[in-house]
């Protein structure tokens, strides 16, 4: 990691040059409720001061909701053509917990198999992070995700009169050298940065005791009454999964044209909360009830992947709490487990 | 392989479902190359009673309708109900809420006896239905998908999850965030979240999913200021033939 500082006056020109030289994705106000990460053509569209983004920006760029994987042509011989659509992009203004969400996906998509489509896009994605204000449902510090240790090229932190920059890759260093005048960070800069981080961390009001949850989860796992209560109002609508920056499940569909010659295989975001998720050939569904599916989701996020990767499949962004019309609150549920098992 | 013969029939409804098939402009030529259409009420004058697949739109509202739909049921090997009226009775079912006699009187006054009208029912009250292309209007791409699946001998994939899934895939902001109520959380997807994507609430034209959380939906609507009557009327717009809902749940 290298550390530099950049004057506030340089920032605007730096961003403008990136917009003109790269395919540039950044936060833009979408409606009164949310911002969205979209291609930016002019700096006036960019709005760094966002609180909420619709769906996880990183996930949708690296792992689109709908993606053609393969096209094929059935004649005397079958011709199959794999598709990987990717191009070099700058992702600007993504916050730490969403970078940590990407870091989780990075791990997932290369561990048991290599997902070439994901990997190709990830390699070509230049990530420039910046902090954003947490919402009241955000519990990132409890999940060790309010700060990004890796997974980005540059991370810009706005101090009073300058930006403190963490340079994490050679690519980031080159970009910074090419497009901005910077100076080495000095002791004063580090001090100001530390002060900033102390204050920033105070802005997160929601805490969860994830260790208590982890240690007691197996004790509650078979308590059907508890899970029925938690899932009582669940719609099985999958909104929690589909808004999640770490959910990776997908379904592959085979579409053949009416000419019965041309076709393609498409993958789309799936969700473990949908009834059909556990449906297998022969009509058996091994997770027919909503309470069953909900506890499995919690296990996947807060247990399974910690055991497997040493990192939770949850960054505490709070999106699932915000999108849930049934008001199911993962933070409350994490905090309630210990009390529940000690009764 | 000979082309499967298809009949497209209309019962009581606005006829818009047949129009949706005609609106398949980019795929219409492929469609008529893949199947032979022997009856299509809105599009062709020729008619034959020799068909394997029947696409039926509209609900059954007269004694004559019952005879017709049963005859189609005797001939066709596969029946696809197309659109809300055929699938769950649709808007026509609102008539049942008044009672048939009262409804006839309201509309036709002292001439009500001229009218042959019975309680509205979806077509599966009279014939077996193999597949449902839901919606008002139905999603024409889903109709194509059903036909294509039938040709290649695959079970069509009709979603049994709520509209919320498509809203999220489409990156929509939830309409509840704008104070608009929506039946999306209990309504079967497959429309590509057509209404919420345009900023308006779902009215459940595709009917409910198999296992809808109706109590949660009632709580939610009540929280947004709807009375019990409002809630029932929201559900009734397309789903007044409640027996259908109960029956579908059992499947």
């Amino acid at each position: 990691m290298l550390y530099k500082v950049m004057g506030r006056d340089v920032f605007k020109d730096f961003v403008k040059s990136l917009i003109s030289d790269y395919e540039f994705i950044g936060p833009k106000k979408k409606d009164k409720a949310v911002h969205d990460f979209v291609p930016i053509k002019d700096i006036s569209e960019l709005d760094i001061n966002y609180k909420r983004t619709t769906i996880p920006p990183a996930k949708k760029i690296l792992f689109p909701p709908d993606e053609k994987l393969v096209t094929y042509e059935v004649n005397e011989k079958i011709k199959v053509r794999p598709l990987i659509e990717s191009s070099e992009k700058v992702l600007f203004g993504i916050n730490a917990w969403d970078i940590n969400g990407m870091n989780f996906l990075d791990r997932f998509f290369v561990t048991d198999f290599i997902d070439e489509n994901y990997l190709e896009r990830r390699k070509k994605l230049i990530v420039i992070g910046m902090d954003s204000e947490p919402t009241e449902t955000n519990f990132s510090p409890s999940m060790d995700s309010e700060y990004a240790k890796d997974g980005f090229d540059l991370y810009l932190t706005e101090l009073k009169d300058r930006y403190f920059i963490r340079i994490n890759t050679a690519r980031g260093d080159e970009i910074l050298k090419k497009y901005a005048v910077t100076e080495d960070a000095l002791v004063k800069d580090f001090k100001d940065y530390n002060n900033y981080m102390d204050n920033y961390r105070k802005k997160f009001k929601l805490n969860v005791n994830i260790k208590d949850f982890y240690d007691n989860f197996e004790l509650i796992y078979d308590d059907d009454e508890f899970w029925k209560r938690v899932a009582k109002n669940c719609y099985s609508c999958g909104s929690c999964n589909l808004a999640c920056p770490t959910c990776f499940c997908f379904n592959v569909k085979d579409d053949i044209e009416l000419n019965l010659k041309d076709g393609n295989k498409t993958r789309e975001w799936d969700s473990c909360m949908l009834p059909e998720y556990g449906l297998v050939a022969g009509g058996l569904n091994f997770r027919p009830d909503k309470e069953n599916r909900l506890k499995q989701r919690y296990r996947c996020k807060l247990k399974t992947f910690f055991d497997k990767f040493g990192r939770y499949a949850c960054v505490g962004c709070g999106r699932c709490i915000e999108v849930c019309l049934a008001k199911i609150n993962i933070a409350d549920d994490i905090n309630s487990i210990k009390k529940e098992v000690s009764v | 392989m000979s082309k499967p013969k298809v009949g497209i029939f209309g019962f009581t409804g606005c006829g818009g479902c047949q129009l949706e098939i005609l609106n398949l402009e980019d795929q219409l030529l492929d469609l008529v190359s893949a199947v032979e259409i022997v009856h299509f009420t809105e599009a062709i004058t020729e008619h034959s009673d020799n068909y394997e697949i029947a696409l039926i739109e509209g609900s059954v509202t007269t004694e004559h309708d019952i005879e017709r739909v049963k005859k189609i049921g005797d001939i066709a090997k596969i029946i696809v109900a197309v659109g809300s009226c055929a699938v769950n009775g649709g808007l026509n079912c609102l008539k049942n809420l008044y009672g048939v006699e009262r409804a006839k009187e309201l509309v036709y006054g002292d001439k009500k006896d001229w009218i042959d009208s019975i309680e509205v029912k979806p077509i599966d009250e009279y014939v077996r239905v193999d597949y449902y292309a839901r919606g008002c209007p139905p999603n024409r791409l889903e109709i194509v998908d059903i036909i294509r699946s039938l040709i290649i001998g695959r079970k069509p994939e009709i979603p049994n999850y709520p509209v919320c899934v498509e809203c999220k895939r489409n990156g929509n902001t939830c309409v509840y965030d704008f104070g608009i109520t929506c039946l999306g959380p209990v309504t079967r997807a497959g429309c590509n979240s057509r209404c919420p994507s345009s900023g308006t609430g779902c009215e459940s034209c595709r009917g409910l999913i198999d296992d809808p959380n109706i109590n949660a939906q009632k709580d939610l609507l009540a929280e947004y200021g709807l009375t019990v009557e409002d809630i029932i009327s929201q559900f009734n717009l397309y789903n007044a033939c409640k027996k259908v809902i109960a029956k579908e749940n059992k499947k």
Side-chain angles (χ1 to χ4, degrees), chain A residues 298-316:
Chain A
Y298 283 177
R299 173 182 250 178
C300 173
K301 298 239 150 277
L302 307 170
K303 189 101 195 359
T304 308
F305 277 96
F306 192 81
D307 295 342
K308 193 169 166 139
F309 292 165
R311 135 188 296 170
Y312 294 105
C314 171
V315 293

Side-chain angles (χ1 to χ4, degrees), chain A residues 185-198:
Chain A
L186 304 174
V187 175
K188 185 184 180 310
D189 300 311
F190 278 96
K191 278 188 175 163
D192 285 353
Y193 174 69
N194 286 339
N195 276 336
Y196 164 88
M197 280 310 291
D198 287 346

Side-chain angles (χ1 to χ4, degrees), chain A residues 72-74 255-264:
Chain A
Y72 58 79
E73 210 184 307
V74 184
D255 291 320
I256 187 159
E257 298 293 328
L258 272 169
N259 63 21
L260 305 183
K261 280 194 174 144
D262 305 308
N264 58 70

